[in-house]
């Protein structure tokens, strides 16, 4: 039968997205191509165009049959390998084989650097004494135009020109694709029509034609049009009549705003020299990687892959970077989840943009910061609260606020507020220096003001599920405010700087009182940071007391956790967020509260995977993952698995603890061991079966512990952490810790500048609970006598009443200084000096050191 028809509109089974575990991804480094591609099991999966949040293809694969009509194989179901022929390029080679059926397909996959076209250079090999005339080869394409599997139209289009070609065109709204090949399509009769067809998935598509219940394992349908549904396209590739064992040809998928633009683009690519295009594509990536920091020669192939993978998710229209090129568990997720991970999360963006700073990319991170403040930052107040904003075009907004996540355009997706996401853009701007942050100061100020007005309480913590006081969120907020204060002072706004530091210091001094329980349920002594204190902010008092929670971390407050995690006493749930206090420079690695928490954290959430290493769960009773039986995440019955980012975080913590980079090396090796064969680091890997505080987390029989789950691979956050950990190993310290933060809170040693001397402060002073000792003086580094800009000094239970800190002061200078203590209400009490005078010091020459040993009376 050779049936020709146009199909009725609006049919086809419900569409789903492609699997999230990718075997390749990439794009050209050039602005001339805005096509971004991914692959799963050796076939092309989601293709994004013209921006990174817009899917237009779910999969593109071959179907292989024999002319005797005894079998048809799906390419994605066969054994495969995916490699980078050149480790410094995002060009991929996928080899798929069914030796039992005597065929092999080798594809080289990249994009046209000059055009919006995906290119596959294909070689089909007949094995086992067979030749190509004994096979039928079909190309099957499932479009999902304009980020929707439904509502597409597919048709056959004949394009005339230098070469007349028959293409399969799909379109919806202002998105169109054109599928074409360099060989002819098969015809069943001489001069007959080409065997290409459009159909509705699961009903009249090519897969159903070849493999449906009554199929004869050969293409029979030829439908010229399928409109308004979940469509699929198929073409029968003419392998010719010559009994050769190997045949090469090219497949291109062109895109455009119209069908004509898409077909014109596809024709232009096929008419070009594809070998030259491949070389140009490779050279773009080699230029990019050649300019990166080799970390003293320690950078390995996975480091460069991580950097290139991150560069591949930078949208070429405005510098946005998405969290992941896909949708977790996409094969069971449809159009109702049209965002997936291909959205912008300011937190994820901060993490991997910071990694690119570390990697030596001097172009991408500044674009990111400008995107954050010029596109993503909100500029108006609308709505009563999160998810309560009727009449607001983008939903809830506040001046200076960053949305929970957004489309590449900056249009808000979900409406939650995560306060770490407010702080992180400021930290990134600070890290890039005055040339970046000074022009943005008016916008940075708006966000910093928002943090002071709303924080430290957050409507959502970093796992996007609960409100309250979160150690990881508060760590970011403190760091953000200290960085904002530095930027404010650079721009002459000492009033704002003082306000930011006053809040940051109060939060730093009270984070244990807010989030560290001393009556916890877990052994050995019930002393640890909890995941979150769900209390509301008190908003009482006229001073910093306004930031205090209504209830503390020792109260028996029930918390309901997302994803079916249940309701538990706040003291029962623990996670690794407290390590952000060290990563952000807010606490020393050997801080007693940090050390106390490590015991429970490791006992409850750590697993050691044989032959791989240490890994951690997010938190006990985490439901974000596959079910115990291994079915895809359903929002209710899931079990969170192990996250490689925590292995990387722990590696950096160990380096911070010892100052020895080698202490991070085992963790780097483990992260690498958790990666895919291509080097992609997943969001989650399978655990070994365990009971975590009564929460059964079973490993399905089909899963291997330490290998990627079906959540998301690669997770761009995880790829960035690989870069950061490798660089930290070489440096012997956490490379992206904000020095202005750890320096202020005596959590690191900041080397003095060329015109400075290092001064150690040791002062004996008595205080009561809620009081903090400071030093100020007649130089900017000491705050110029402003009690909100002074330098805090620190003590511990073993050192009290001696308080210590370190500050870099102008070299060879005669200075005055004085101590004071801040009371719980923020008011200062100056030291009682005879006659009320100031202290004096003379700093040594540049590079020198000085130690102050003082005693204070009040």
């Amino acid at each position: 039968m050779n049936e020709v028809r146009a199909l009725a509109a609006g049919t086809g089974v419900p569409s789903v997205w492609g699997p999230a575990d990718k075997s390749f991804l990439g794009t050209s480094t050039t602005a001339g191509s805005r096509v971004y591609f991914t692959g799963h099991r050796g076939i092309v999966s989601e293709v994004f165009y013209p921006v990174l949040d817009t899917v237009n293809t779910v999969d593109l694969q071959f179907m292989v049959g024999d002319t005797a009509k005894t079998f048809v194989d799906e390419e994605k179901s066969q054994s495969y390998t995916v490699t980078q022929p050149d480790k410094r390029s995002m060009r991929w080679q996928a080899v798929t084989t069914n030796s039992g059926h005597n065929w092999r397909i080798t594809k080289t996959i990249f994009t046209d650097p000059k055009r919006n076209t995906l290119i596959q250079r294909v070689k089909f090999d007949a094995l086992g004494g067979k030749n190509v005339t004994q096979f039928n080869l079909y190309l099957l394409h499932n479009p999902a135009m304009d980020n929707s599997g439904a509502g597409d139209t597919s048709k056959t289009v004949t394009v005339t020109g230098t070469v007349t070609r028959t293409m399969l065109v799909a379109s919806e709204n202002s998105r169109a694709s054109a599928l074409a090949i360099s060989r002819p399509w098969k015809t069943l009769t001489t001069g007959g029509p080409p065997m290409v067809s459009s159909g509705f998935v699961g009903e009249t598509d090519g897969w159903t034609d070849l493999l449906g219940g009554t199929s004869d394992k050969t293409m029979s349908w030829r439908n010229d049009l399928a409109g308004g549904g979940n469509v699929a396209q198929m073409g029968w590739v003419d392998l010719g009549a010559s009994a050769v064992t190997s045949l090469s040809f090219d497949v291109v998928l062109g895109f455009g705003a119209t069908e004509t633009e898409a077909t014109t683009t596809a024709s232009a690519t096929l008419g070009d020299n594809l070998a030259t295009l491949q070389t140009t594509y490779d050279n773009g990536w080699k230029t990019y990687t050649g300019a990166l920091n080799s970390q003293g020669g320690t950078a390995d192939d996975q480091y460069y892959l991580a950097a290139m993978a991150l560069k591949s998710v930078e949208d070429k229209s405005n510098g946005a970077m998405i969290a992941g090129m896909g949708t977790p568990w996409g094969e069971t997720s449809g159009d109702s989840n049209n965002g997936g991970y291909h959205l912008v999360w300011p937190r994820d963006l901060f993490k991997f943009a910071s990694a690119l700073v570390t990697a030596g990319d001097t172009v991408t991170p500044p674009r990111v910061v400008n995107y954050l403040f010029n596109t993503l930052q909100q500029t108006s107040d609308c709505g009563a609260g999160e998810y309560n904003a009727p009449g607001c075009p983008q939903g809830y907004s506040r001046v200076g606020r960053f949305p929970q996540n957004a489309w590449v355009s900056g249009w808000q997706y979900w409406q939650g507020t995560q306060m770490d996401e407010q702080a992180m853009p400021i930290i990134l701007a600070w890290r890039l220096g005055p040339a970046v942050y000074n022009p943005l100061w008016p916008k940075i100020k708006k966000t910093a003001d928002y943090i002071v007005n709303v924080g430290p309480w957050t409507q959502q913590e970093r796992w996007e599920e609960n409100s309250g006081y979160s150690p990881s969120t508060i760590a970011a907020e403190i760091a953000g405010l200290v960085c904002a204060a530095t930027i404010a002072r650079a721009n002459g706004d000492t009033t704002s700087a003082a306000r930011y530091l006053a809040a940051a210091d109060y939060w730093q001094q009270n984070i244990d009182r807010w989030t560290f329980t001393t009556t916890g349920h877990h052994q050995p002594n019930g002393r640890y940071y909890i995941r979150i204190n769900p209390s509301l902010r008190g908003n009482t008092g006229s001073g910093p007391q306004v930031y205090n929670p209504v209830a503390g971390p020792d109260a028996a407050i029930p918390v309901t956790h997302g994803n079916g995690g249940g309701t538990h006493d706040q003291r029962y749930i623990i996670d690794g967020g407290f390590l952000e206090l060290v990563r952000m420079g807010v606490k020393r690695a050997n801080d007693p509260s940090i050390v106390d928490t490590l015991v429970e954290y490791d006992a409850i959430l750590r697993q050691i995977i044989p032959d791989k290493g240490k890994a951690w769960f997010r938190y006990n009773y985490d439901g974000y993952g596959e079910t115990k039986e291994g079915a895809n995440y359903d929002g209710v019955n899931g079990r969170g698995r192990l996250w490689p980012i925590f292995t990387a975080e722990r590696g950096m913590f160990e380096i911070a603890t010892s100052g020895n980079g080698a202490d991070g090396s085992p963790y780097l090796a483990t992260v690498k061991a958790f990666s895919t064969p291509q080097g992609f680091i997943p969001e989650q890997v399978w655990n070994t079966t365990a009971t975590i505080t009564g929460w059964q987390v079973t490993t399905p029989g089909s899963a291997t512990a330490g290998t990627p789950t079906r959540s998301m691979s690669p997770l761009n956050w995880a790829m960035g952490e690989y870069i950061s950990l490798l660089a930290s190993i070489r440096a012997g310290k956490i490379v992206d810790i904000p020095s202005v933060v750890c320096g202020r809170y005596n959590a690191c040693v900041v080397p003095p500048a060329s015109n400075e001397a290092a001064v150690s402060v040791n002062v004996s002073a008595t205080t009561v609970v809620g009081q903090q000792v400071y030093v100020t003086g007649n130089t900017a580094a000491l705050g110029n006598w402003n009690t909100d800009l002074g330098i805090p000094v620190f003590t511990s239970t073993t050192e009290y009443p001696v308080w210590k800190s370190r500050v870099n002061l102008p070299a060879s200078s005669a200075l005055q200084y004085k101590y004071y203590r801040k009371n719980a209400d923020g008011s200062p009490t100056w030291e009682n000096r005879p006659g009320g005078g100031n202290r004096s010091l003379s700093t040594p020459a540049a590079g020198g050191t000085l130690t102050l040993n003082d005693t204070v009376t009040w």
Side-chain angles (χ1 to χ4, degrees):
M1 178 178 68
N2 180 14
E3 188 173 342
V4 182
R5 58 182 175 174
L7 301 175
T11 54
V13 300
S15 62
V16 295
W17 303 114
D21 47 330
K22 304 304 183 185
S23 53
F24 56 86
L25 61 86
T27 187
S28 170
T29 59
T30 60
S33 176
R34 294 194 175 181
V35 174
Y36 314 81
F37 63 90
T38 69
H40 167 72
R41 288 192 55 83
I43 71 163
V44 170
S45 54
E46 280 98 342
V47 181
F48 300 81
Y49 161 84
V51 288
L52 267 163
D53 59 22
T54 304
V55 178
N56 292 277
T57 288
V58 171
D59 63 59
L60 175 61
Q61 64 167 316
F62 286 102
M63 309 281 282
V64 184
D66 64 335
T67 53
K69 304 179 184 180
T70 65
F71 72 85
V72 174
D73 295 331
E74 288 186 84
E75 185 189 4
K76 68 180 178 184
S77 300
Q78 313 309 311
S79 61
Y80 73 98
T81 61
V82 173
T83 58
Q84 292 169 277
D86 187 324
K87 292 294 188 180
R88 299 297 180 266
S89 173
M90 294 301 272
R91 172 171 54 91
W92 298 88
Q93 183 180 82
V95 180
T96 310
T97 307
N98 188 326
S99 56
H101 284 164
N102 299 301
W103 63 264
R104 178 175 63 232
I105 296 173
T106 303
K107 297 177 297 190
T108 299
I109 305 161
F110 58 101
T111 61
D112 184 337
K114 299 189 292 185
R115 305 176 184 93
N116 294 316
T117 312
L118 175 67
I119 298 171
Q120 295 188 86
R121 309 211 74 185
V122 183
K123 181 185 178 193
F124 180 79
D125 289 308
L127 309 175
K130 303 290 184 178
N131 66 70
V132 299
T133 66
Q134 295 170 286
F135 293 90
N136 293 330
L137 184 64
Y138 308 96
L139 185 60
L140 182 66
H141 178 221
N142 182 8
M145 306 308 300
D146 202 21
N147 212 38
S148 167
D152 294 341
T153 293
S154 177
K155 65 177 68 171
T156 302
V157 173
T158 300
V159 180
T160 59
T162 305
V163 178
T164 298
R165 302 185 191 278
T166 298
M167 301 187 187
L168 288 162
V169 175
S171 62
E172 183 176 358
N173 302 323
S174 60
R175 302 286 183 266
S177 68
L179 180 64
I181 62 174
S182 61
R183 288 195 64 80
W185 299 110
K186 183 83 169 179
T187 59
L188 297 183
T189 60
T190 302
M195 289 299 293
V196 293
S197 185
S198 299
F200 294 108
V201 174
E203 298 173 356
T204 54
D205 64 313
W207 188 96
T208 304
D209 188 3
L210 294 177
L211 292 173
T214 60
S215 172
D216 61 355
K217 295 183 174 57
T218 190
M219 184 177 180
S220 302
W221 301 336
R222 196 178 69 78
N223 308 313
D224 287 333
L225 174 67
N230 179 17
V231 302
Q233 305 168 330
M234 190 168 78
W236 188 346
V237 181
D238 189 344
L239 297 178
S242 177
V244 297
T245 60
S246 182
L247 194 68
S248 297
F249 59 96
D250 299 307
V251 176
V252 302
L253 184 62
F255 294 91
T258 64
E259 293 178 357
T260 299
E261 184 181 339
T263 57
T264 300
T265 300
S267 293
T269 295
L270 276 175
D272 209 334
N273 186 320
L274 270 63
T276 300
L277 295 179
Q278 176 179 307
T279 299
T280 302
Y281 180 93
D282 286 347
N283 287 343
W285 281 112
K286 290 178 181 178
T287 298
Y288 177 75
T289 56
L292 296 180
N293 186 336
S294 70
Q295 307 300 332
T298 64
D300 57 9
D301 287 341
Q302 190 156 357
Y303 169 96
Y304 286 103
L305 174 64
M308 290 189 290
L310 295 179
K311 182 66 176 176
S312 293
V313 300
E314 179 201 12
D315 194 274
K316 298 169 188 177
S317 66
N318 60 11
M321 297 178 75
I322 59 171
M325 291 178 74
T327 300
W329 306 284
E331 63 272 33
T332 53
S333 184
D335 283 358
S336 61
N337 180 10
N338 64 350
Y341 277 9
H342 47 97
L343 299 166
V344 178
W345 270 266
R347 173 181 46 259
D348 294 55
L349 180 50
F350 162 78
K351 290 288 186 178
F352 46 73
S354 293
L356 287 181
V357 177
T358 297
D361 183 335
T362 60
V363 175
T364 308
R367 288 194 73 204
V368 166
V369 170
N370 280 283
Y371 165 79
L372 284 164
F373 285 99
N374 293 327
T375 299
L376 197 57
Q377 185 192 60
Q378 294 177 334
T379 58
S380 64
D381 293 338
C382 196
E386 290 81 359
Y387 297 96
N388 180 19
C392 300
Q394 288 196 45
Y396 178 72
S397 67
R398 288 293 183 268
V399 172
R401 172 182 177 266
F402 289 96
Q404 175 182 355
N405 55 13
W407 299 105
V408 165
S409 66
W411 193 271
Q412 183 171 223
Y413 187 72
W414 291 332
Q415 295 184 42
T417 300
Q418 299 172 12
M419 294 304 294
D420 60 343
E421 294 191 324
Q422 315 309 310
M424 288 172 172
I426 299 175
I427 302 170
L428 182 61
W430 169 83
R431 190 176 181 202
L432 290 171
V436 172
Y437 64 61
N438 281 341
L440 292 171
W441 162 238
K443 295 182 178 183
I444 292 171
K445 182 180 185 303
K446 291 177 181 178
T447 299
D449 288 343
Y450 178 74
I451 294 171
V452 173
N453 293 336
V454 176
W457 183 90
T458 184
Q459 193 259 340
Q460 291 180 356
E461 37 65 78
R462 72 171 176 169
W463 304 132
E464 307 190 293
E465 296 171 0
N466 293 92
S467 63
Y469 290 73
S470 153
S472 64
T473 299
I474 297 173
E477 291 176 286
I478 293 168
L481 288 179
V482 174
C483 289
T486 303
I487 298 168
R489 294 172 78 170
N491 285 271
D493 189 348
T494 55
T495 300
S496 291
R499 182 173 183 241
Y500 303 153
L501 289 180
D505 288 356
Y506 189 78
W507 298 356
Q508 194 272 345
Q509 293 154 19
N510 286 278
I511 192 167
D512 282 16
R513 189 166 62 87
W514 296 339
T515 64
F516 185 86
T517 184
T518 60
T519 60
H521 297 277
H522 305 303
Q523 298 301 317
N525 58 12
R527 296 175 56 85
Y528 48 84
Y529 287 105
I530 59 177
R531 177 191 168 198
I532 194 164
N533 172 0
S535 175
L536 293 173
R537 200 173 88 159
N539 292 316
T540 58
S542 57
Q545 311 96 306
V546 69
Y547 304 122
N548 291 336
V550 173
D554 289 330
I557 299 176
V559 183
T560 300
H561 297 267
N563 304 305
T567 301
H568 310 276
D569 186 312
Q570 65 167 335
R571 297 166 296 176
Y572 206 69
I573 307 299
I574 187 170
D575 80 341
F578 70 98
L579 293 178
E580 285 289 277
L581 292 165
V582 177
R583 181 75 172 271
M584 289 293 180
V586 174
K587 291 236 179 190
R588 303 187 315 276
N590 64 353
D591 182 275
S593 298
I594 299 289
V595 174
D596 277 350
T597 308
L598 284 172
V599 180
E600 286 84 1
Y601 176 56
D602 287 348
I604 295 169
L605 299 179
R606 186 181 69 184
Q607 283 197 338
I608 300 176
I609 306 300
D611 301 320
K612 294 185 184 291
K614 298 174 182 177
W616 284 263
F617 296 96
R618 284 203 307 178
Y619 56 86
N620 44 332
Y621 291 92
D622 178 16
Y624 187 62
E626 286 87 351
T627 67
K628 287 191 293 182
E629 297 74 23
N632 278 356
Y633 168 74
D634 61 9
V636 178
N637 301 301
R639 294 294 186 271
R641 310 292 172 164
L642 303 169
W643 289 57
I645 59 170
F646 302 138
T647 299
E649 286 182 351
R650 186 55 171 269
M652 282 178 270
F653 172 80
E654 296 297 336
I655 294 170
T657 300
S658 67
N660 182 1
D663 288 344
S665 296
Y667 299 90
L668 188 78
T670 299
V671 173
K672 184 177 289 190
F674 289 153
S675 304
T676 69
Q678 295 77 37
F680 293 135
I681 306 169
E683 178 181 72
Q684 300 183 47
V685 296
W686 294 106
N687 57 284
T688 58
T689 296
T691 300
I692 307 170
T693 62
W695 180 250
Q696 184 72 20
V697 187
T698 303
T699 305
S702 60
T704 301
T707 62
T709 72
R710 294 184 298 277
S711 53
M712 189 72 225
S713 179
L715 181 70
N716 292 326
W717 181 348
M719 298 297 277
E721 291 292 72
Y722 188 88
I723 293 171
S724 300
L725 177 55
L726 185 146
S728 296
I729 290 169
R730 179 192 174 230
K733 63 179 181 180
I734 301 176
V735 291
D736 56 7
I737 191 169
S739 60
V740 291
V741 182
C742 63
R744 181 168 185 80
Y745 298 120
N746 202 31
C748 68
V749 175
V750 179
S754 59
N755 60 345
E756 292 179 334
V759 177
S760 296
V761 179
N762 297 316
V763 56
S764 178
T766 59
T767 57
V768 298
V769 174
Q771 292 178 332
Q772 174 75 37
V773 177
Y774 283 78
V775 61
T776 186
N778 65 339
T779 181
L782 291 175
N784 279 326
W785 303 114
N786 186 321
T787 56
D788 286 330
L789 296 177
I791 304 299
V793 286
F794 297 88
T795 189
S796 66
T797 54
T798 58
E799 293 176 315
Y800 181 83
V802 176
W803 301 68
K804 297 179 179 179
S805 193
R806 186 178 185 276
V807 61
N808 296 322
L809 297 178
S812 303
S813 299
L815 302 175
Q816 294 185 323
Y817 70 103
K818 200 170 186 179
Y819 297 97
Y820 61 99
R821 64 186 182 193
K822 270 194 177 181
N823 304 306
D825 62 0
S827 64
T829 299
W830 290 94
E831 65 170 310
N832 185 17
R833 292 279 294 162
N838 300 323
R839 298 176 183 266
S840 299
L841 66 89
S842 294
T843 58
T849 62
L850 173 68
T851 298
L852 302 177
N853 292 295
D854 297 323
T855 299
V856 166
T857 58
W858 307 105

